[in-house]
Amino acid sequence: MDDQPEPARDPERRGRTGGWAIGTVAVVLVSGLLFVASAQSSQGTDLRPGRYDDLAALTQEEADRAESLQERVAALTQEVKELTDQVDDDDVRRYQREAKALEAPAGLRAQRGPGVVVTLSDAPDDVVDATTGDQNLLVVHQQDIQAVVNAMWQGGATAVVLQGQRMVSTTGIKCEGNSVVIQGVPYPQPYVIEAVGDVGDLTGALADDDYLQIYREQSDDPTIDVGWELELEDEVKAPAYDGLLDLTYATPIAPSGAGGADQNDR
């Protein structure tokens, strides 16, 4: 048999084959490093942000955490009270009587009586989807809730409750995302505001408030349709305030060289 000529080798093809092999190894190594880095960063949790899309679940989680902290505060407050009651001192007993007399006006005692209930809510989904105007008009804002609360106080309310929380002089209302935070607890809409007091005076104050007149007009407008519901009740129950009473506020720092402590010394 005649010897067949050896086929010519293509050095260029060989080079390409070697490059693919090296590239494959590099991809495998990089992928492995990424998997390790991802595992270390997540520490067993989901790195995908999609898991936080459920805002209602997040709100409930924060509310549960705040409730747990409030229960802890209540337990410690009760412990302090019990220890104080054991002190045998005339001055201490006098101060205790004075403090007890102020509990009711400070909102530290439960109240019940005739009153009103106002419920505010965002516009329905179909209105939101169809709107071509300002979408800010379709949701309940902090100032809307505050206007109702202020009108109730103006109408002589002896107790005001928002989302089941007793309102006192130190209570703050603020919006965070699509919820309202009251005493550190986030609440989604609808917002229920209750007041104990003379029904005629309360409804009159709510009707006369200029801001709430505009809100009710928008509530009657089918293109806005934010929720407004007013109910007259024979008995409204207002629980005692059980949150913190301390005020937290900022303190200005004197500029360096102006007689105050230098910030570097702090």
Side-chain angles (χ1 to χ4, degrees):
M1 179 181 296
D2 295 337
D3 293 335
Q4 298 293 328
E6 183 177 351
R9 298 187 180 183
D10 184 354
E12 189 174 338
R13 180 179 178 182
R14 186 173 183 274
R16 289 198 298 269
T17 304
W20 276 107
I22 294 172
T24 301
V25 173
V27 169
V28 171
L29 290 175
V30 171
S31 299
L33 290 173
L34 288 175
F35 282 128
V36 172
S38 176
Q40 290 179 343
S41 298
S42 66
Q43 295 182 346
T45 62
D46 189 354
L47 287 174
R48 295 170 296 176
R51 66 181 302 203
Y52 299 112
D53 288 342
D54 191 349
L55 296 179
L58 283 176
T59 299
Q60 185 59 50
E61 181 181 342
E62 289 299 312
D64 292 342
R65 188 174 71 88
E67 182 179 358
S68 176
L69 292 174
Q70 286 184 337
E71 291 175 355
R72 176 64 175 159
V73 169
L76 292 174
T77 302
Q78 180 62 29
E79 184 178 346
V80 170
K81 182 180 182 302
E82 292 173 356
L83 292 173
T84 305
D85 290 341
Q86 296 174 14
V87 177
D88 187 13
D89 184 87
D90 291 340
D91 288 336
V92 171
R93 285 192 289 270
R94 176 167 58 85
Y95 289 133
Q96 286 178 326
R97 288 193 298 270
E98 293 176 358
K100 197 169 188 65
L102 295 173
E103 286 182 354
L108 302 181
R109 287 187 186 176
Q111 288 192 33
R112 63 173 60 190
V116 300
V117 179
V118 173
T119 303
L120 307 180
S121 57
D122 296 346
D125 290 341
D126 58 335
V127 175
V128 175
D129 294 338
T131 187
T132 57
D134 185 1
Q135 293 198 353
N136 283 322
L137 299 177
L138 309 182
V139 297
V140 178
H141 295 282
Q142 168 188 333
Q143 57 266 31
D144 303 329
I145 301 172
Q146 191 67 63
V148 174
V149 172
N150 290 344
M152 287 176 169
W153 289 128
Q154 185 68 29
T158 57
V160 177
V161 178
L162 171 57
Q163 300 296 80
Q165 295 271 13
R166 181 71 173 270
M167 306 288 287
V168 296
S169 60
T170 57
T171 302
I173 304 172
K174 63 178 181 178
C175 286
E176 287 189 4
N178 65 338
S179 63
V180 166
V181 178
I182 311 157
Q183 296 166 190
V185 183
Y187 294 96
Q189 60 98 28
Y191 304 108
V192 180
I193 309 139
E194 307 167 81
V196 178
D198 182 272
V199 173
D201 291 343
L202 290 172
T203 54
L206 291 167
D208 293 341
D209 187 87
D210 294 338
Y211 184 97
L212 293 179
Q213 288 177 7
I214 297 174
Y215 182 96
R216 288 193 298 274
E217 290 174 2
Q218 294 174 342
S219 176
D220 293 334
D221 185 341
T223 64
I224 300 178
D225 201 20
V226 284
W228 169 272
E229 184 178 353
L230 172 63
E231 299 175 283
L232 311 183
E233 300 288 347
D234 294 332
E235 182 177 77
V236 173
K237 297 179 180 179
Y241 176 79
D242 59 358
L244 297 176
L245 295 174
D246 294 339
L247 290 174
T248 302
Y249 50 88
T251 303
I253 299 176
S256 176
D262 190 276
Q263 294 187 21
N264 294 328
D265 296 334
R266 295 180 181 270

